[in-house]
Amino acid sequence: MKLTDNVLRSFRVAKVFRENSDKINCFDFSSNGETIISSSDDDSLVLYDCQEGKPKRTLYSKKYGVDLIRYTHAANTVVYSSNKIDDTIRYLSLHDNKYIRYFPGHNKRVTALSMSPVDDTFISGSLDKTIRLWDLRSPNCQGLMHLQGKPVCSFDPEGLIFAAGVNSEMVKLYDLRSFDKGPFATFKLQYDRTCEWTGLKFSNDGKLILVSTNGGALRLLDAFKGAVMHSFGGYNNSKAVTLEASFTPDSQFIMIGSEDGKIHVWNAESGMKVAVLDGKHTGPVTCLQFNPKFMTFASACSNMVRLLVLEKHLQLHINGSY
């Protein structure tokens, strides 16, 4: 089924999960779309079955805390940043709840974590003004970049290049094979002193870069030329909350939550707003991602996760099958 404006308007809340006692800070879908895992300020990792619409299990990281959780290429392992004790990144086996490896190096909070879509490489950005390149098979940092400010970073969908957003005004593109030579392209954007950049994502077709902020606007860039194609606004974010913005898997639409619990959707090509969905959230929608394989997406505010599906699939989901 193809996503269209009308299809997007027909999404409804199918499930509400209240598994957490504190804020959900991040979640991530598995690449096969069958599960989603969340990290929370209550130090828990909750694994959900997207097809059954049920929580599967809960693990804890009481000692180190957990944030920025990401699946690796194996559906039973994750990497995540710590928000207690130190700023080490941890690699965990969900199967037996054991750490496989630690990745020490950052000395301030990690603010960005991106897994390569093709291999065991991942990158991290931190308030220590560095981006580090890692390989899951080694605890040693494979590459280090010192920057002029707090970075956000992400791999492109082919895993050949990565983008770094620096100082909330520049996007730098690096070739993974020669990143030590510096960026091969730098796009300077007009600086907006009213907000900070909080995230950067490529579209699945690799043609677009989405820059999210803690203000009331998103920017969509041409990934090759760096030109700002659209700025999206008209959603509420008066308290400078970090709201996650996402592409749909077909790269055609962009979504973000807002502080009033609504979810706003734009057409990436035309820049027109096509839907405002009621996620029935009681607070700011801080996490929002579309399932990579199925017609569902997930949103989270404070301590609740919601799974939204097409209206015509609603009964199937409520009955617990897909």
Side-chain angles (χ1 to χ4, degrees), residues 94-304:
L94 301 174
H95 167 67
D96 50 9
N97 196 21
K98 287 197 167 68
Y99 290 114
I100 300 167
R101 197 158 285 116
Y102 292 171
F103 303 96
H106 287 300
N107 55 35
K108 286 189 178 170
R109 186 167 66 87
V110 175
T111 54
L113 200 55
S114 177
M115 193 76 215
S116 163
V118 295
D119 60 23
D120 285 338
T121 311
F122 67 98
I123 50 175
S124 57
S126 162
L127 293 178
D128 64 15
K129 300 181 182 176
T130 65
I131 287 177
R132 288 177 180 262
L133 181 68
W134 310 88
D135 188 304
L136 285 174
R137 296 162 294 191
S138 164
N140 303 320
C141 177
Q142 307 293 302
L144 174 63
M145 274 157 296
H146 292 275
L147 303 158
Q148 298 304 306
K150 175 192 131 181
V152 287
C153 54
S154 182
F155 275 102
D156 84 316
E158 292 179 339
L160 297 173
I161 67 169
F162 62 88
V166 188
N167 264 356
S168 299
E169 62 175 347
M170 254 181 291
V171 176
K172 295 172 181 273
L173 300 183
Y174 295 85
D175 187 314
L176 196 59
R177 293 155 300 191
S178 56
F179 67 89
D180 50 332
K181 295 187 174 68
F184 65 83
T186 299
F187 309 137
K188 197 165 189 324
L189 278 64
Q190 191 172 351
Y191 182 64
D192 180 353
R193 67 181 58 179
T194 64
C195 61
E196 273 188 7
W197 292 4
T198 54
L200 187 151
K201 290 183 182 181
F202 279 89
S203 56
N204 274 349
D205 63 8
K207 295 177 182 174
L208 305 168
I209 294 173
L210 181 62
V211 176
S212 45
T213 72
N214 63 359
L218 301 170
R219 288 180 187 171
L220 186 67
L221 311 186
D222 180 310
F224 301 104
K225 299 179 186 149
V228 177
M229 296 171 65
H230 299 293
S231 285
F232 303 113
Y235 59 93
N236 296 336
N237 190 15
S238 62
K239 298 185 178 75
V241 178
T242 297
L243 305 172
E244 182 178 18
S246 290
F247 287 100
T248 51
D250 61 5
S251 308
Q252 300 301 304
F253 298 94
I254 283 143
M255 332 171 63
I256 192 169
S258 64
E259 69 183 8
D260 60 8
K262 301 275 197 295
I263 293 157
H264 297 249
V265 187
W266 294 268
N267 183 300
E269 192 174 358
S270 70
M272 299 293 289
K273 188 174 284 188
V274 298
V276 180
L277 302 170
D278 186 2
K280 302 197 184 327
H281 286 285
T282 53
V285 181
T286 48
C287 304
L288 181 69
Q289 282 177 35
F290 211 98
N291 189 311
K293 299 291 183 201
F294 300 109
M295 278 285 188
T296 62
F297 68 89
S299 58
C301 74
S302 59
N303 60 348
M304 280 184 278

